[in-house]
Amino acid sequence: MVLSRIWSAFIIIAIAIASIKYISSTHYKTIFNDMVVGKGGDTVKIASQQMNSLSPAVSDSLMKKNDFANSRIHYKTDSLKQNVQVYRVQEADGVIGTSETAVKICLGLIGIMTLFMGFMSIAEKAGGINLLSRFIQPFFSKLFPDIPKNHPAFGHMLMNFSANLLGLDNAATPFGLKAMESLQTLNPNKDTASNSQIMFLCLHAGGMTLIPVSIIAIRASMGSKTPTDIFLPCMIATFAATLAAMIIVSLYQKINLLRPVVIAYVGGISAIIALLVLYLVQLSKDELDDFSKVLSNGLILFIFLAIVLGAVYKKINVFDAFIEGAKLRG
């Protein structure tokens, strides 16, 4: 119900603001067309004016250079400084273009989810998820006291956090959905999020990331000369956010974080991050870029290899298990 109201308010406010701009300014007479079929980056022509009809501030700026922008309105004059083209640049796609983009994102995500859910199914049948559950259970049992010992939800959550640590957002999505599905089976009130689901969601939102692969890739694709500069700030910020989320939710749910097991796990993770930061600050930008690629992608391939080897050892039909998992979310 809350999301419904937020979504409705968003639409109403957007149309109201557009209407106000249309009425109050001559620069936005095509704003409704732009909101529906416009494309980000399009040049929207507003008018063609004489230099002497412009305000002194704009005229003085155009006398110094041929292009001038003021409050997102652009002015461009000819070489004789007489005629001026007034235009603006659309900053985002309209609803039609955005809808097309959403479909493309969903189609790409389907393939990624199919891949990882397939390997998740293999890991479950080979006992890998139960193995992860036993490994993380001493720590998670303190944060999630409502989850039974060695429950598969521990393994699903660990896979989700591992994908987040490597900055693989799309890979974390199917693992997060599977973790929530497991937690929902333990939820006595199906219409309300349980304490375990709230804790998991907040830790997931903290997004602790050791290697922000996705962000580095986006920065590189946008032409950044130093795409890996985000590496250390992202690591420190997400660690602090995750730690803050854990403390706040624990206080609300009255969970004691001063237990030896919790202190040991948190202290160990903090020490690893501190050592990693000390190592990374000594690397050059090229070395840092190579390190992030090798570590993140190498770990993903190692996980795939470990899952397949475990399945072969357990004599699991790898192909059938993969297809079964892929069908569940593909």
Side-chain angles (χ1 to χ4, degrees):
M1 190 63 179
V2 175
L3 289 177
S4 175
R5 291 176 179 174
I6 293 174
W7 190 64
S8 300
F10 176 79
I11 295 175
I12 293 171
I13 292 172
I15 296 176
I17 292 175
S19 300
I20 293 172
K21 286 188 173 183
Y22 177 82
I23 295 171
S24 62
S25 175
T26 59
H27 294 155
Y28 292 93
K29 293 304 180 183
T30 63
I31 191 170
F32 296 124
N33 178 78
D34 301 338
M35 289 178 67
V36 177
V37 297
K39 294 287 186 181
D42 283 354
T43 298
V44 181
K45 184 177 179 180
I46 297 174
S48 180
Q49 296 179 290
Q50 295 295 315
M51 177 72 81
N52 55 17
S53 67
L54 300 174
S55 66
V58 175
S59 299
D60 292 343
S61 297
L62 289 174
M63 292 301 295
K64 298 176 182 178
K65 56 181 180 179
N66 291 338
D67 292 302
F68 172 70
N70 181 29
S71 299
R72 300 182 181 178
I73 304 301
H74 297 257
Y75 301 87
K76 185 175 183 180
T77 183
D78 57 16
S79 58
L80 299 177
K81 305 289 185 178
Q82 295 180 351
N83 297 314
V84 179
Q85 297 295 327
V86 185
Y87 66 96
R88 57 186 173 83
V89 178
Q90 182 154 334
E91 298 184 1
D93 290 345
V95 293
I96 301 299
T98 303
S99 299
E100 294 175 356
T101 302
V103 171
K104 292 177 181 177
I105 292 174
C106 289
L107 289 175
L109 188 58
I110 287 173
I112 295 170
M113 291 182 68
T114 299
L115 172 66
F116 283 95
M117 292 307 295
F119 274 102
M120 174 74 78
S121 177
I122 298 172
E124 285 180 332
K125 293 183 180 299
I129 300 299
N130 289 331
L131 181 63
L132 290 175
S133 298
R134 290 194 294 270
F135 172 74
I136 201 67
Q137 191 266 335
F139 174 53
F140 273 11
S141 64
K142 303 300 183 292
L143 296 182
F144 303 92
D146 297 334
I147 301 178
K149 184 178 180 180
N150 296 330
H151 192 277
F154 288 127
H156 296 147
M157 288 189 290
L158 182 59
M159 293 293 286
N160 172 262
F161 294 140
S162 298
N164 271 336
L165 286 173
L166 298 177
L168 303 171
D169 303 329
N170 289 336
T173 299
F175 296 147
L177 292 173
K178 190 66 177 179
M180 272 296 189
E181 185 180 299
S182 297
L183 293 173
Q184 183 67 359
T185 61
L186 301 172
N187 187 3
N189 188 351
K190 303 301 182 183
D191 296 328
T192 304
S194 65
N195 284 345
S196 296
Q197 289 176 314
I198 293 172
M199 174 64 83
F200 169 69
L201 182 61
C202 291
L203 292 178
H204 172 78
M208 182 173 167
T209 304
L210 293 181
I211 307 172
V213 176
S214 300
I215 299 176
I216 290 173
I218 292 172
R219 284 168 56 86
S221 67
M222 297 299 292
S224 173
K225 294 182 180 179
T226 56
T228 57
D229 278 356
I230 197 68
F231 200 108
L232 291 178
C234 189
M235 181 191 302
I236 296 171
T238 56
F239 174 70
T242 303
L243 191 61
M246 182 180 68
I247 293 173
I248 293 172
V249 177
S250 296
L251 290 174
Y252 179 79
Q253 296 182 0
K254 298 180 180 179
I255 297 173
N256 183 11
L257 295 179
L258 300 179
R259 299 178 181 180
V261 173
V262 176
I263 294 175
Y265 270 83
V266 174
I269 294 173
S270 302
I272 292 173
I273 291 179
L275 292 174
L276 188 58
V277 169
L278 291 175
Y279 170 72
L280 293 177
V281 295
Q282 302 176 21
L283 301 179
S284 66
K285 287 181 170 55
D286 290 338
E287 291 174 335
L288 186 61
D289 188 41
D290 292 338
F291 176 82
S292 64
K293 291 178 181 178
V294 171
L295 182 60
S296 59
N297 296 314
L299 283 176
I300 284 293
L301 293 177
F302 173 77
I303 291 172
F304 287 169
L305 177 62
I307 290 174
V308 172
L309 290 177
V312 171
Y313 177 76
K314 291 286 188 176
K315 298 181 180 179
I316 303 295
N317 189 319
V318 174
F319 181 79
D320 288 346
F322 181 90
I323 296 300
E324 181 180 343
K327 284 181 179 179
L328 293 176
R329 290 285 182 269

